[in-house]
Amino acid sequence: MSMIEMKQVYKKFGDNEVLKDISLSIPAHQVVAVIGPSGSGKSTFLRCINGLETITEGSISVNGHEIHANTSPKALKKEIHAIRQETGMVFQQFNLYPHKTVAENVMEALLVVKKMSNEPAYQIASSLLAKVGLAEKENAYPSQLSGGQQQRVAIARALAMEPKLMLFDEPTSALDPELVGEVLKVMKSLAEDGMTMVIVTHEMKFAEEVADRILFMADGFIVEDAEPQAFFKNPQTERAQKFLQKVSEF
Amino acid sequence: MSMIEMKQVYKKFGDNEVLKDISLSIPAHQVVAVIGPSGSGKSTFLRCINGLETITEGSISVNGHEIHANTSPKALKKEIHAIRQETGMVFQQFNLYPHKTVAENVMEALLVVKKMSNEPAYQIASSLLAKVGLAEKENAYPSQLSGGQQQRVAIARALAMEPKLMLFDEPTSALDPELVGEVLKVMKSLAEDGMTMVIVTHEMKFAEEVADRILFMADGFIVEDAEPQAFFKNPQTERAQKFLQKVSEF
Amino acid sequence: GGNDNANQTEEQPSNALEQIQEEGTMTVGIMGTYAPYNFMDKNKEYVGFDVDIAKELAERLDVEAEFVAQDFSGLIPGLQKDKFDILVSQVTITEDRQKQIDFTEPYITNEVKVIVTESNNDIQSVEDFKGRTIGAVMGTNDEAFLRNVLMPEVGKFKLNTYDDVITTLKDLDAGRIDATINNVYALKPIVEENGYKVKAVGEPVKSDQAAVAVKKGNTELVEALNAALNEMKQDGTYEEIFVKWFDEAPPTE
Amino acid sequence: MQIVIENLPFLLRGAYYTLLITVVSMFFGLIIGLLTAIARIRGNRVLRSIARGYVSIIRGTPPLVQIVIVYYGLVDYGIEFGPLTAAYIALSINIGAYVSEAFRGAIESVPKGQVEAALATGMTERQAMRRIIVPQAVRYAIPPLGNTFVGMLKETSLVSVIAVTELMRSAELLISQYYVYMPFYLAIAAMYWMMSTMFTFALHRVEKRLSVY
Amino acid sequence: MQIVIENLPFLLRGAYYTLLITVVSMFFGLIIGLLTAIARIRGNRVLRSIARGYVSIIRGTPPLVQIVIVYYGLVDYGIEFGPLTAAYIALSINIGAYVSEAFRGAIESVPKGQVEAALATGMTERQAMRRIIVPQAVRYAIPPLGNTFVGMLKETSLVSVIAVTELMRSAELLISQYYVYMPFYLAIAAMYWMMSTMFTFALHRVEKRLSVY
Ligand SMILES: Nc1ncnc2c1ncn2[C@@H]1O[C@H](COP(=O)(O)OP(=O)(O)OP(=O)(O)O)[C@@H](O)[C@H]1O
Ligand SMILES: Nc1ncnc2c1ncn2[C@@H]1O[C@H](COP(=O)(O)OP(=O)(O)OP(=O)(O)O)[C@@H](O)[C@H]1O
Ligand SMILES: [Mg+2]
Ligand SMILES: [Mg+2]
């Protein structure tokens, strides 16, 4: 069964058509990298998957939970809630809760959404923080961490809900170049563990190495959908060629 | 005569020593790239040159205007003012004036500092905007421009005062990867025109290609000071080796 | 104010009286919200017992009366800082006040009685106040009297204070307070207008004497005003004004 | 000076009522204001209009009139309060409108990414509001709330219209008794100033403590 | 209702004074407040302390006392004003303190990079302030200034203590004439509300226009 199934998805903001006729299927355990110029709709694509944006036309199904453009608000709420339970998301700006410690950030959804009690939630948080290499930062506040550390906490926070799908929106582009590596390393190990992942990124080398599949977006369309090797060596469209050339210019 | 001359410069923020024993001389027309890990003092180094930070010990002279750590406040003000007249600076966050159009941004200092009248100031702005490829954006507001366009306006604004020295603090790191190239191109052409430039950057390829000299900073020290070829092929210190490896990891 | 250029004139008149007469106007401070003594009528002019008295006084001093109405709290500093020449606004004579300002002879004696609802027969006099809730207009002598004199005498009662008589009576009518004491003259028009079912009971609790207030030390002015008051009482003008506002003859002294 | 000292207990009693009314009204005003702010931001169309109307009317009309209506106007409908209760009710409603604006501004200054992060982990809008947004907003709201509180300290003087002798009225009573005003006005000015300074200082400490993160 | 309509001209005259005093005091208050804000942010130690003291004392003490002091208290020093002038002076000084806080907040919310960019092009601190910071701050300051203005609209009622018949006082004069208060209170509440709504609306448009960029 495929993890994500999109059929003729359109998304408008007012008159501005941002996603156009998106249809695709992403099987479980696949790692998909989404690349493309700024404003092409990459973030919107990602945010439609977990319902942070509602689609204007078409349908999306995530692990069997299906949203149509015309689903009733009540049913929509239920489906989106179900999808979010099984989906983790990591943002460019980390978005850690500044008023909570690192451990509390990871525990929060467990306490509130899963209604766990403190002790088991802490156990989970603790082991996830160890996994991302931050065991000793449990009691720090986000403001006391470097960007790379913050982003790793954000990943641990998303993993706490045991998602079947992880969405990443430019998770390294707010980081100092030297710190990018530590976050990519964590993501790579997730990929190796078989997590289904959709990653919007500008790190071409990472995409080439880690992804099973590249989606190249431009102007709201998915212009190319190919294996990394094929895409980077031999982009089919002029738009993609121009993009790859610009990005590698210096 | 050297454009910048630093002698045993120290800078403290409270107890935190951020610049340590910096001595160097930068001749006119040299292009210097400053690289190093986050928090190593690169921005502070740059900001001390045009007096946005005051040094705690030592002396800096820029094109003959000299500042000592113990210069009296009044004399300091005068010297810094003189230095700033001859120095342009471009910031990571562009810092364009949001309430002024593109042309007004470039004209502002001419009107206020040089007391020019509108017409000649506009002529200068106009030709500089043409130079950075933004002739047709004169009347736009910064918020209507892409990041790359904004940064080019910022460069034009700095050039308006006809500086003898340009300082750049990570001018491309807030930009979308696809837009980085257009800014670097403008900087490269400045370098080719013989402008003296000090550039804090994480664009290693750009540094290697354009700079005459690399300063590698770590922990407040200038750890290496070398020609690009030599530095990138053969870093002398372990710290620089580790840094270069991390940055090129993916 | 009445004396705006008092400090600047080169040949300063030797006293307030001369000065008023030189200017030809006498500035009279009133609250302007205290019917039937001083208030604004439908033509937006100040009228009332106090206003008529003041006009009559002015006429006898051969000057014009000019009325300035403002909140009670502004009247006192206004008099002391020469913004007014006199206050004719039911200022009652007390020892404390006599230390700060001068008074003429009293021009009216207000009897204060216990006021209760018509159906109330439990309260006949102030002796019955103990343990009840009593209302009064704040800042008035009535309030000070209730608090400082009566309370120690008859035993503790709850004192609610109000901005004006209307609201006091409204609360009495609504049963929030058991009784109030009030100047009977002041009460009458309000009760009639609003149809409150209240009545005055028993002997007067006390009587207050109101006088014209003058800045301390203006002896000549006080004397002139006293003379004028006397004249008014002699020639019947005073009685005329009294009957006009209270529908009854002034009590004989 | 002498007179002020003699009458200090009386003035202090006034100050006590001023403080009492301010604190109680602020307490309920905070609750009303928070709910109103949430209604304006997250409510449906009807709730939003009600909340907006409430804020507009309350902020647009004089508190004196509000107090009078609560105390006297409602009697006609058989609703009756004691003076202190009426003061609490009227001023809580009044403060609530200002507080709601302070909270609304504060909630809107919490970065949007915070809600999104919470929603993405599966929280409902309500849970995100309660656990993530409001706790952060409280800190942003402290400076404007401080202003509201300090303003209320002085606005309480209006309740003298319904038979509560707070600080300002105490002074006026003394003034009409002694016929001197300056010492009393200066004395209560000093007292108001001390109260607001103490309060501002306390708030400052709370703000500092909240910004450990 | 009838009586309200009959007395509308009188009430409108009161409203006129309320508006006049508010607008004039706001105008001077803006100037005082802006200067104070700049003194607090850029002034030397002495200026900063003076500015802080001014704000603390004015915001901490009742405006009624301030009005009384300006009108009556200064007479002892040979300084005498007419009632309207005194009202303008006292309320301008009062508003100035609030305005300065609004501006200070606004100036501090202009990103630090803006000054640095201006300084780097060779402007002096003063030039950067005047040309770059203040114009941007004005926009941030509009919402809190709106609050101050609307608050002042109602606070003007205090000037009735110095013989200015503004809106509130007009109502009180009518109440003591007719012995009914509710219609008058409701009428002036409506008038205050209309004035503040009109003003809020106008300000909103200014804010919109300022945010073209
Ligand atoms: N909430 C919104 N309201 C209106 N327009 C929006 C909104 N979010 C995005 N857009 C518009 O949709 C288009 C696509 O935006 P999106 O953020 O998806 O692009 P992107 O590919 O993620 O770009 P970037 O690489 O800069 O993040 C843009 O034109 C953007 O202006
Ligand atoms: N205004 C300041 N007050 C106190 N400490 C400061 C200030 N500015 C910088 N620092 C400290 O000085 C050190 C060096 O900062 P600086 O910004 O110069 O580093 P950098 O090399 O530019 O780093 P980055 O690559 O992250 O921009 C850091 O530890 C920083 O926390
Ligand atoms: Mg995006
Ligand atoms: Mg830096």
Side-chain angles (χ1 to χ4, degrees), chain C residues 44, chain E residues 3-16 170 191:
Chain C
K44 313 306 171 212
Chain E
I3 25 178
V4 169
I5 292 169
E6 261 168 32
N7 290 287
L8 206 53
F10 185 69
L11 288 173
L12 285 177
R13 201 163 150 276
Y16 163 75
S170 314
M191 287 169 129

Side-chain angles (χ1 to χ4, degrees), chain B residues 42-43 169-170:
Chain B
K42 304 182 298 296
S43 296
D169 193 357
E170 303 192 22

Side-chain angles (χ1 to χ4, degrees), chain A residues 11-14 16-19 34-47 53 92 169-170 200 202 217 220, chain B residues 176-177, chain D residues 112:
Chain A
K11 169 67 187 174
K12 283 188 189 179
F13 288 111
N16 185 10
E17 205 162 51
V18 173
L19 293 185
V34 183
I35 63 177
S38 174
S40 56
K42 305 181 298 295
S43 295
T44 307
F45 170 78
L46 210 63
R47 292 160 58 86
E53 306 288 355
Q92 179 180 5
D169 193 357
E170 303 192 20
V200 175
H202 287 302
M217 291 190 72
Chain B
D176 285 310
Chain D
K112 238 182 115 226

